[in-house]
Amino acid sequence: MSFEIVEATIPDIQAALEAGEITSKQLVLMYYERIADHDKNGLTINSVLEINPDALFIAESLDVERAINGPRGPLHGIPVLLKDNINTGDKMHTSAGSLALANSFAGEDAFIVTKLREAGAIIMGKANMTEFANFMTNGMPSGYSSRGGQVLNPYNISTPTGGSSAGSAVAVACNFCTVSVGTETSGSILNPGNLGSIIGIKPTVGLLSRSGILPLSNTQDTAGPMARTVHDAVLLLNAMLGKDHDAAMGTNTGKIHEDYTVFLDPNGLQGARIGIPRDYYFEELTDEQLALFNASVDRMRELGATIIDPADIKTAREISYSSVVLNEFKTALNAYLSHLGPGAPMRTLKDIIDFNHAHPVETLRFGQATLIDAEYTSSGTQSEAQYLRHRATDLKLCKEEGIDATMKEYNLDALLFPADFGARITSRAGYPSIVVPSGYTSAGAPFGVTFSAKAYQEPTLIKLAYAYEQHYKVRKAPSLKSFI
C-alpha cells in the first residue's frame, strides 16, 4: 500500500478514501500496526489505554456506506481516540485511568461522542491520562494512571508528557490515530499539546457539551480537539458541536458558528493586535525557550500583526490558590457516578478512596491525598463560604479585572502566552485558547505558543493560529526510534 499514514491529515485521508487508495478498515489496521510496534512494544509509549472491540466492524460498515451513499462529511471513516474520562455506550470502559473504575461501563455515549458517531467518525479507543485528571494526589507524574501506567514523551524521555490529556496528545503526535479528544480544567489540553508538538483547542466553557464526561470542575471543565494541524482540529471541533441540557451551554446562544473552517485564513495575522503579558508569565522560561518565543513573535510581526509588548495583566500576581475545583470535584463526581446505574462498581468518591486503601500496591504508588482532601473538605453542596468567595474572586481577578481589562486597555484581538503558562488565568475565566507548535529545544523538547481571547472568540483564535501554522510549519513527527 502506497498511502503514507505518518502525518496524514483528514483531507489527505479523505482524498485517498475517495480515490480508492485505502479503505477505513485498512486505515484502522495501519494505526493498529503502529500502536503494536511503538505504543505496546519498541519504545512502549503507552498512550493508548483501550481499543474499541468493534472498531474494525464500524470501519467496514462505513466503507460500505461510503460506496453506496458517499461520505457523510469530513469525519466519515476517520479514527478518533477519546480521553478515558469520556463516556462511550459500547464495549469500552470509562475509568479516568483509575483501577477503582476499571470495570465501569458508562451505558450511553457522552453527547459529543454521539455527535462524532453521527459524523461518521470511528471511535477507535480510549487514551491513557493522568489519573482523575491529575486530581489524585500531589506529585503524581503527568501521564501516569494506576490503570494505564506511565505515558512517555516520544520526543525526549526526560521531558514530561504534560497532562492530564497525555495519551490524547501523545497518540496524535505519534500518528497512532488521526485526531483525538482531550479535556481541560486547567491546562489539561494546552499543557500536553505544547509538550507533544500538536494543536490543542481549549474551547470556551459552554461551546461544547460536557454531558457524559467524568467531571473535575463544573465551572471549568470542557472537552476539546487535539490534532496535528489546525485544520484537522477545527474539523473535529465542528463535528462535536450541538446543544443539549448542559447548563453552561445557555451562554452560547447566538455565539456559535455552524462551520469554523470558514475562519481558516492564511492571512489571519494581518492587522491583528496581539498583546504579550510579560510580567509573571515568563519567569519560568529558560533562555532557550525565551529565544524560541521571541522568534515566534518576530514571525507574527512579519505576517502583519501588531504586537503590544508588554501588555501585562495587572491582576496576574494576585491570582493564587483557589478552592473552587477542590469543592466542585466531590459534588460533580458523585453526581456522575449516580447516573451510571445500579450495577456500577463505585457510587461515591468515598467508595473510590476506600477501594484504593484496600488495594494500596496497585493504586497508591503516589498516594491519594487530593482525593481525601476533596472528600473531607467539601460538603458536596458547594455552600462553603470559602468556596463562594474563591469563585467570585476567580471571576474578578481572571475575567473582569484580568483578561477583560487587559484586552480592553490595549484594544487586543488576543493574548499570546509562552507554552501553556496562561492556562490558569484563562481556565478560571472559562475562556478559549489554542496552542500551536513553535519549535524545539536543543534537546528535542517541543515548545509552543498559546493564543487566548475572551469567551466565544474561537473564530479569532483560529485565524491567528492557522496563519501562524501555515507560514511556519515547524511541527515534525517524533522518530520513534531513539530518545535523546
Side-chain angles (χ1 to χ4, degrees), residues 453-471:
K454 295 170 66 174
Y456 299 108
Q457 292 302 303
E458 282 84 359
T460 297
L461 299 181
I462 289 167
K463 287 180 183 179
L464 301 178
Y466 183 73
Y468 180 79
E469 173 203 50
Q470 289 300 296
H471 288 274

mmCIF file with all atom_site columns, all heavy atoms in Angstrom, residues 453-471:
data_model
loop_
_atom_site.group_PDB
_atom_site.id
_atom_site.type_symbol
_atom_site.label_atom_id
_atom_site.label_alt_id
_atom_site.label_comp_id
_atom_site.label_asym_id
_atom_site.label_entity_id
_atom_site.label_seq_id
_atom_site.pdbx_PDB_ins_code
_atom_site.Cartn_x
_atom_site.Cartn_y
_atom_site.Cartn_z
_atom_site.occupancy
_atom_site.B_iso_or_equiv
_atom_site.pdbx_formal_charge
_atom_site.auth_seq_id
_atom_site.auth_comp_id
_atom_site.auth_asym_id
_atom_site.auth_atom_id
_atom_site.pdbx_PDB_model_num
ATOM 1   N N   . ALA A 1 453 ? -8.154  34.402 24.169 1.00 0.00 ? 453 ALA A N   1
ATOM 2   C CA  . ALA A 1 453 ? -9.043  35.554 23.999 1.00 0.00 ? 453 ALA A CA  1
ATOM 3   C C   . ALA A 1 453 ? -10.245 35.407 24.914 1.00 0.00 ? 453 ALA A C   1
ATOM 4   O O   . ALA A 1 453 ? -10.298 34.523 25.770 1.00 0.00 ? 453 ALA A O   1
ATOM 5   C CB  . ALA A 1 453 ? -9.464  35.685 22.534 1.00 0.00 ? 453 ALA A CB  1
ATOM 6   N N   . LYS A 1 454 ? -11.222 36.276 24.730 1.00 0.00 ? 454 LYS A N   1
ATOM 7   C CA  . LYS A 1 454 ? -12.430 36.275 25.568 1.00 0.00 ? 454 LYS A CA  1
ATOM 8   C C   . LYS A 1 454 ? -13.420 35.212 25.086 1.00 0.00 ? 454 LYS A C   1
ATOM 9   O O   . LYS A 1 454 ? -13.207 34.563 24.066 1.00 0.00 ? 454 LYS A O   1
ATOM 10  C CB  . LYS A 1 454 ? -13.063 37.664 25.549 1.00 0.00 ? 454 LYS A CB  1
ATOM 11  C CG  . LYS A 1 454 ? -12.192 38.738 26.193 1.00 0.00 ? 454 LYS A CG  1
ATOM 12  C CD  . LYS A 1 454 ? -12.727 40.133 25.949 1.00 0.00 ? 454 LYS A CD  1
ATOM 13  C CE  . LYS A 1 454 ? -14.052 40.372 26.627 1.00 0.00 ? 454 LYS A CE  1
ATOM 14  N NZ  . LYS A 1 454 ? -14.493 41.786 26.497 1.00 0.00 ? 454 LYS A NZ  1
ATOM 15  N N   . ALA A 1 455 ? -14.499 35.061 25.826 1.00 0.00 ? 455 ALA A N   1
ATOM 16  C CA  . ALA A 1 455 ? -15.467 34.000 25.554 1.00 0.00 ? 455 ALA A CA  1
ATOM 17  C C   . ALA A 1 455 ? -15.976 34.037 24.108 1.00 0.00 ? 455 ALA A C   1
ATOM 18  O O   . ALA A 1 455 ? -16.271 35.105 23.564 1.00 0.00 ? 455 ALA A O   1
ATOM 19  C CB  . ALA A 1 455 ? -16.644 34.124 26.518 1.00 0.00 ? 455 ALA A CB  1
ATOM 20  N N   . TYR A 1 456 ? -16.015 32.845 23.508 1.00 0.00 ? 456 TYR A N   1
ATOM 21  C CA  . TYR A 1 456 ? -16.559 32.611 22.172 1.00 0.00 ? 456 TYR A CA  1
ATOM 22  C C   . TYR A 1 456 ? -15.804 33.353 21.070 1.00 0.00 ? 456 TYR A C   1
ATOM 23  O O   . TYR A 1 456 ? -16.354 33.603 19.998 1.00 0.00 ? 456 TYR A O   1
ATOM 24  C CB  . TYR A 1 456 ? -18.067 32.930 22.138 1.00 0.00 ? 456 TYR A CB  1
ATOM 25  C CG  . TYR A 1 456 ? -18.827 32.058 23.099 1.00 0.00 ? 456 TYR A CG  1
ATOM 26  C CD1 . TYR A 1 456 ? -19.363 32.586 24.282 1.00 0.00 ? 456 TYR A CD1 1
ATOM 27  C CD2 . TYR A 1 456 ? -18.965 30.696 22.882 1.00 0.00 ? 456 TYR A CD2 1
ATOM 28  C CE1 . TYR A 1 456 ? -20.024 31.776 25.198 1.00 0.00 ? 456 TYR A CE1 1
ATOM 29  C CE2 . TYR A 1 456 ? -19.618 29.875 23.792 1.00 0.00 ? 456 TYR A CE2 1
ATOM 30  C CZ  . TYR A 1 456 ? -20.144 30.411 24.947 1.00 0.00 ? 456 TYR A CZ  1
ATOM 31  O OH  . TYR A 1 456 ? -20.785 29.610 25.848 1.00 0.00 ? 456 TYR A OH  1
ATOM 32  N N   . GLN A 1 457 ? -14.538 33.666 21.339 1.00 0.00 ? 457 GLN A N   1
ATOM 33  C CA  . GLN A 1 457 ? -13.697 34.267 20.310 1.00 0.00 ? 457 GLN A CA  1
ATOM 34  C C   . GLN A 1 457 ? -12.859 33.213 19.577 1.00 0.00 ? 457 GLN A C   1
ATOM 35  O O   . GLN A 1 457 ? -11.781 33.509 19.057 1.00 0.00 ? 457 GLN A O   1
ATOM 36  C CB  . GLN A 1 457 ? -12.794 35.334 20.938 1.00 0.00 ? 457 GLN A CB  1
ATOM 37  C CG  . GLN A 1 457 ? -13.537 36.558 21.430 1.00 0.00 ? 457 GLN A CG  1
ATOM 38  C CD  . GLN A 1 457 ? -14.313 37.234 20.309 1.00 0.00 ? 457 GLN A CD  1
ATOM 39  O OE1 . GLN A 1 457 ? -13.737 37.620 19.291 1.00 0.00 ? 457 GLN A OE1 1
ATOM 40  N NE2 . GLN A 1 457 ? -15.621 37.365 20.484 1.00 0.00 ? 457 GLN A NE2 1
ATOM 41  N N   . GLU A 1 458 ? -13.372 31.994 19.516 1.00 0.00 ? 458 GLU A N   1
ATOM 42  C CA  . GLU A 1 458 ? -12.689 30.944 18.755 1.00 0.00 ? 458 GLU A CA  1
ATOM 43  C C   . GLU A 1 458 ? -12.406 31.345 17.306 1.00 0.00 ? 458 GLU A C   1
ATOM 44  O O   . GLU A 1 458 ? -11.326 31.014 16.786 1.00 0.00 ? 458 GLU A O   1
ATOM 45  C CB  . GLU A 1 458 ? -13.509 29.642 18.789 1.00 0.00 ? 458 GLU A CB  1
ATOM 46  C CG  . GLU A 1 458 ? -13.383 28.850 20.069 1.00 0.00 ? 458 GLU A CG  1
ATOM 47  C CD  . GLU A 1 458 ? -14.303 29.310 21.176 1.00 0.00 ? 458 GLU A CD  1
ATOM 48  O OE1 . GLU A 1 458 ? -15.056 30.297 20.968 1.00 0.00 ? 458 GLU A OE1 1
ATOM 49  O OE2 . GLU A 1 458 ? -14.286 28.693 22.257 1.00 0.00 ? 458 GLU A OE2 1
ATOM 50  N N   . PRO A 1 459 ? -13.314 32.047 16.615 1.00 0.00 ? 459 PRO A N   1
ATOM 51  C CA  . PRO A 1 459 ? -13.002 32.445 15.235 1.00 0.00 ? 459 PRO A CA  1
ATOM 52  C C   . PRO A 1 459 ? -11.706 33.243 15.126 1.00 0.00 ? 459 PRO A C   1
ATOM 53  O O   . PRO A 1 459 ? -10.881 32.990 14.227 1.00 0.00 ? 459 PRO A O   1
ATOM 54  C CB  . PRO A 1 459 ? -14.214 33.295 14.834 1.00 0.00 ? 459 PRO A CB  1
ATOM 55  C CG  . PRO A 1 459 ? -15.332 32.703 15.625 1.00 0.00 ? 459 PRO A CG  1
ATOM 56  C CD  . PRO A 1 459 ? -14.720 32.368 16.959 1.00 0.00 ? 459 PRO A CD  1
ATOM 57  N N   . THR A 1 460 ? -11.502 34.185 16.028 1.00 0.00 ? 460 THR A N   1
ATOM 58  C CA  . THR A 1 460 ? -10.263 34.973 16.010 1.00 0.00 ? 460 THR A CA  1
ATOM 59  C C   . THR A 1 460 ? -9.055  34.100 16.278 1.00 0.00 ? 460 THR A C   1
ATOM 60  O O   . THR A 1 460 ? -8.027  34.196 15.578 1.00 0.00 ? 460 THR A O   1
ATOM 61  C CB  . THR A 1 460 ? -10.338 36.096 17.059 1.00 0.00 ? 460 THR A CB  1
ATOM 62  O OG1 . THR A 1 460 ? -11.394 36.986 16.723 1.00 0.00 ? 460 THR A OG1 1
ATOM 63  C CG2 . THR A 1 460 ? -9.027  36.867 17.131 1.00 0.00 ? 460 THR A CG2 1
ATOM 64  N N   . LEU A 1 461 ? -9.155  33.239 17.265 1.00 0.00 ? 461 LEU A N   1
ATOM 65  C CA  . LEU A 1 461 ? -8.018  32.380 17.615 1.00 0.00 ? 461 LEU A CA  1
ATOM 66  C C   . LEU A 1 461 ? -7.673  31.422 16.490 1.00 0.00 ? 461 LEU A C   1
ATOM 67  O O   . LEU A 1 461 ? -6.496  31.144 16.234 1.00 0.00 ? 461 LEU A O   1
ATOM 68  C CB  . LEU A 1 461 ? -8.326  31.602 18.900 1.00 0.00 ? 461 LEU A CB  1
ATOM 69  C CG  . LEU A 1 461 ? -8.580  32.442 20.149 1.00 0.00 ? 461 LEU A CG  1
ATOM 70  C CD1 . LEU A 1 461 ? -8.834  31.534 21.346 1.00 0.00 ? 461 LEU A CD1 1
ATOM 71  C CD2 . LEU A 1 461 ? -7.411  33.380 20.430 1.00 0.00 ? 461 LEU A CD2 1
ATOM 72  N N   . ILE A 1 462 ? -8.690  30.905 15.814 1.00 0.00 ? 462 ILE A N   1
ATOM 73  C CA  . ILE A 1 462 ? -8.447  30.002 14.684 1.00 0.00 ? 462 ILE A CA  1
ATOM 74  C C   . ILE A 1 462 ? -7.727  30.729 13.560 1.00 0.00 ? 462 ILE A C   1
ATOM 75  O O   . ILE A 1 462 ? -6.781  30.196 12.962 1.00 0.00 ? 462 ILE A O   1
ATOM 76  C CB  . ILE A 1 462 ? -9.787  29.395 14.203 1.00 0.00 ? 462 ILE A CB  1
ATOM 77  C CG1 . ILE A 1 462 ? -10.312 28.396 15.241 1.00 0.00 ? 462 ILE A CG1 1
ATOM 78  C CG2 . ILE A 1 462 ? -9.622  28.725 12.837 1.00 0.00 ? 462 ILE A CG2 1
ATOM 79  C CD1 . ILE A 1 462 ? -11.747 27.979 15.022 1.00 0.00 ? 462 ILE A CD1 1
ATOM 80  N N   . LYS A 1 463 ? -8.146  31.956 13.267 1.00 0.00 ? 463 LYS A N   1
ATOM 81  C CA  . LYS A 1 463 ? -7.462  32.749 12.238 1.00 0.00 ? 463 LYS A CA  1
ATOM 82  C C   . LYS A 1 463 ? -5.982  32.931 12.570 1.00 0.00 ? 463 LYS A C   1
ATOM 83  O O   . LYS A 1 463 ? -5.101  32.732 11.719 1.00 0.00 ? 463 LYS A O   1
ATOM 84  C CB  . LYS A 1 463 ? -8.122  34.132 12.114 1.00 0.00 ? 463 LYS A CB  1
ATOM 85  C CG  . LYS A 1 463 ? -9.465  34.150 11.441 1.00 0.00 ? 463 LYS A CG  1
ATOM 86  C CD  . LYS A 1 463 ? -9.997  35.583 11.388 1.00 0.00 ? 463 LYS A CD  1
ATOM 87  C CE  . LYS A 1 463 ? -11.380 35.654 10.782 1.00 0.00 ? 463 LYS A CE  1
ATOM 88  N NZ  . LYS A 1 463 ? -11.901 37.049 10.765 1.00 0.00 ? 463 LYS A NZ  1
ATOM 89  N N   . LEU A 1 464 ? -5.703  33.313 13.807 1.00 0.00 ? 464 LEU A N   1
ATOM 90  C CA  . LEU A 1 464 ? -4.329  33.590 14.212 1.00 0.00 ? 464 LEU A CA  1
ATOM 91  C C   . LEU A 1 464 ? -3.484  32.326 14.193 1.00 0.00 ? 464 LEU A C   1
ATOM 92  O O   . LEU A 1 464 ? -2.356  32.313 13.668 1.00 0.00 ? 464 LEU A O   1
ATOM 93  C CB  . LEU A 1 464 ? -4.318  34.210 15.609 1.00 0.00 ? 464 LEU A CB  1
ATOM 94  C CG  . LEU A 1 464 ? -5.087  35.522 15.778 1.00 0.00 ? 464 LEU A CG  1
ATOM 95  C CD1 . LEU A 1 464 ? -5.029  35.985 17.232 1.00 0.00 ? 464 LEU A CD1 1
ATOM 96  C CD2 . LEU A 1 464 ? -4.550  36.603 14.858 1.00 0.00 ? 464 LEU A CD2 1
ATOM 97  N N   . ALA A 1 465 ? -4.018  31.259 14.786 1.00 0.00 ? 465 ALA A N   1
ATOM 98  C CA  . ALA A 1 465 ? -3.249  30.014 14.863 1.00 0.00 ? 465 ALA A CA  1
ATOM 99  C C   . ALA A 1 465 ? -3.006  29.421 13.485 1.00 0.00 ? 465 ALA A C   1
ATOM 100 O O   . ALA A 1 465 ? -1.903  28.923 13.192 1.00 0.00 ? 465 ALA A O   1
ATOM 101 C CB  . ALA A 1 465 ? -3.994  29.005 15.748 1.00 0.00 ? 465 ALA A CB  1
ATOM 102 N N   . TYR A 1 466 ? -4.021  29.470 12.629 1.00 0.00 ? 466 TYR A N   1
ATOM 103 C CA  . TYR A 1 466 ? -3.883  28.901 11.288 1.00 0.00 ? 466 TYR A CA  1
ATOM 104 C C   . TYR A 1 466 ? -2.861  29.678 10.456 1.00 0.00 ? 466 TYR A C   1
ATOM 105 O O   . TYR A 1 466 ? -2.024  29.091 9.767  1.00 0.00 ? 466 TYR A O   1
ATOM 106 C CB  . TYR A 1 466 ? -5.239  28.891 10.594 1.00 0.00 ? 466 TYR A CB  1
ATOM 107 C CG  . TYR A 1 466 ? -5.233  28.252 9.232  1.00 0.00 ? 466 TYR A CG  1
ATOM 108 C CD1 . TYR A 1 466 ? -5.115  26.875 9.089  1.00 0.00 ? 466 TYR A CD1 1
ATOM 109 C CD2 . TYR A 1 466 ? -5.367  29.021 8.074  1.00 0.00 ? 466 TYR A CD2 1
ATOM 110 C CE1 . TYR A 1 466 ? -5.121  26.273 7.839  1.00 0.00 ? 466 TYR A CE1 1
ATOM 111 C CE2 . TYR A 1 466 ? -5.377  28.438 6.816  1.00 0.00 ? 466 TYR A CE2 1
ATOM 112 C CZ  . TYR A 1 466 ? -5.253  27.056 6.702  1.00 0.00 ? 466 TYR A CZ  1
ATOM 113 O OH  . TYR A 1 466 ? -5.249  26.467 5.455  1.00 0.00 ? 466 TYR A OH  1
ATOM 114 N N   . ALA A 1 467 ? -2.942  30.998 10.528 1.00 0.00 ? 467 ALA A N   1
ATOM 115 C CA  . ALA A 1 467 ? -1.998  31.813 9.760  1.00 0.00 ? 467 ALA A CA  1
ATOM 116 C C   . ALA A 1 467 ? -0.565  31.546 10.206 1.00 0.00 ? 467 ALA A C   1
ATOM 117 O O   . ALA A 1 467 ? 0.340   31.391 9.370  1.00 0.00 ? 467 ALA A O   1
ATOM 118 C CB  . ALA A 1 467 ? -2.334  33.294 9.924  1.00 0.00 ? 467 ALA A CB  1
ATOM 119 N N   . TYR A 1 468 ? -0.350  31.481 11.516 1.00 0.00 ? 468 TYR A N   1
ATOM 120 C CA  . TYR A 1 468 ? 0.996   31.205 12.024 1.00 0.00 ? 468 TYR A CA  1
ATOM 121 C C   . TYR A 1 468 ? 1.471   29.827 11.565 1.00 0.00 ? 468 TYR A C   1
ATOM 122 O O   . TYR A 1 468 ? 2.589   29.672 11.077 1.00 0.00 ? 468 TYR A O   1
ATOM 123 C CB  . TYR A 1 468 ? 1.006   31.284 13.551 1.00 0.00 ? 468 TYR A CB  1
ATOM 124 C CG  . TYR A 1 468 ? 2.366   31.018 14.146 1.00 0.00 ? 468 TYR A CG  1
ATOM 125 C CD1 . TYR A 1 468 ? 3.341   32.008 14.147 1.00 0.00 ? 468 TYR A CD1 1
ATOM 126 C CD2 . TYR A 1 468 ? 2.679   29.785 14.689 1.00 0.00 ? 468 TYR A CD2 1
ATOM 127 C CE1 . TYR A 1 468 ? 4.599   31.769 14.673 1.00 0.00 ? 468 TYR A CE1 1
ATOM 128 C CE2 . TYR A 1 468 ? 3.926   29.525 15.218 1.00 0.00 ? 468 TYR A CE2 1
ATOM 129 C CZ  . TYR A 1 468 ? 4.887   30.522 15.214 1.00 0.00 ? 468 TYR A CZ  1
ATOM 130 O OH  . TYR A 1 468 ? 6.130   30.283 15.721 1.00 0.00 ? 468 TYR A OH  1
ATOM 131 N N   . GLU A 1 469 ? 0.607   28.831 11.710 1.00 0.00 ? 469 GLU A N   1
ATOM 132 C CA  . GLU A 1 469 ? 0.978   27.462 11.341 1.00 0.00 ? 469 GLU A CA  1
ATOM 133 C C   . GLU A 1 469 ? 1.293   27.348 9.851  1.00 0.00 ? 469 GLU A C   1
ATOM 134 O O   . GLU A 1 469 ? 2.277   26.710 9.458  1.00 0.00 ? 469 GLU A O   1
ATOM 135 C CB  . GLU A 1 469 ? -0.164  26.517 11.693 1.00 0.00 ? 469 GLU A CB  1
ATOM 136 C CG  . GLU A 1 469 ? 0.028   25.085 11.208 1.00 0.00 ? 469 GLU A CG  1
ATOM 137 C CD  . GLU A 1 469 ? -1.286  24.347 11.070 1.00 0.00 ? 469 GLU A CD  1
ATOM 138 O OE1 . GLU A 1 469 ? -2.229  24.880 10.431 1.00 0.00 ? 469 GLU A OE1 1
ATOM 139 O OE2 . GLU A 1 469 ? -1.366  23.219 11.592 1.00 0.00 ? 469 GLU A OE2 1
ATOM 140 N N   . GLN A 1 470 ? 0.467   27.948 9.013  1.00 0.00 ? 470 GLN A N   1
ATOM 141 C CA  . GLN A 1 470 ? 0.620   27.777 7.568  1.00 0.00 ? 470 GLN A CA  1
ATOM 142 C C   . GLN A 1 470 ? 1.904   28.398 7.031  1.00 0.00 ? 470 GLN A C   1
ATOM 143 O O   . GLN A 1 470 ? 2.513   27.872 6.101  1.00 0.00 ? 470 GLN A O   1
ATOM 144 C CB  . GLN A 1 470 ? -0.596  28.375 6.843  1.00 0.00 ? 470 GLN A CB  1
ATOM 145 C CG  . GLN A 1 470 ? -1.867  27.572 7.027  1.00 0.00 ? 470 GLN A CG  1
ATOM 146 C CD  . GLN A 1 470 ? -1.732  26.156 6.511  1.00 0.00 ? 470 GLN A CD  1
ATOM 147 O OE1 . GLN A 1 470 ? -1.548  25.927 5.314  1.00 0.00 ? 470 GLN A OE1 1
ATOM 148 N NE2 . GLN A 1 470 ? -1.806  25.191 7.409  1.00 0.00 ? 470 GLN A NE2 1
ATOM 149 N N   . HIS A 1 471 ? 2.308   29.494 7.626  1.00 0.00 ? 471 HIS A N   1
ATOM 150 C CA  . HIS A 1 471 ? 3.519   30.173 7.145  1.00 0.00 ? 471 HIS A CA  1
ATOM 151 C C   . HIS A 1 471 ? 4.791   29.622 7.781  1.00 0.00 ? 471 HIS A C   1
ATOM 152 O O   . HIS A 1 471 ? 5.876   29.754 7.206  1.00 0.00 ? 471 HIS A O   1
ATOM 153 C CB  . HIS A 1 471 ? 3.400   31.675 7.396  1.00 0.00 ? 471 HIS A CB  1
ATOM 154 C CG  . HIS A 1 471 ? 2.423   32.352 6.496  1.00 0.00 ? 471 HIS A CG  1
ATOM 155 N ND1 . HIS A 1 471 ? 2.747   32.816 5.237  1.00 0.00 ? 471 HIS A ND1 1
ATOM 156 C CD2 . HIS A 1 471 ? 1.103   32.626 6.659  1.00 0.00 ? 471 HIS A CD2 1
ATOM 157 C CE1 . HIS A 1 471 ? 1.683   33.357 4.669  1.00 0.00 ? 471 HIS A CE1 1
ATOM 158 N NE2 . HIS A 1 471 ? 0.673   33.269 5.509  1.00 0.00 ? 471 HIS A NE2 1
#
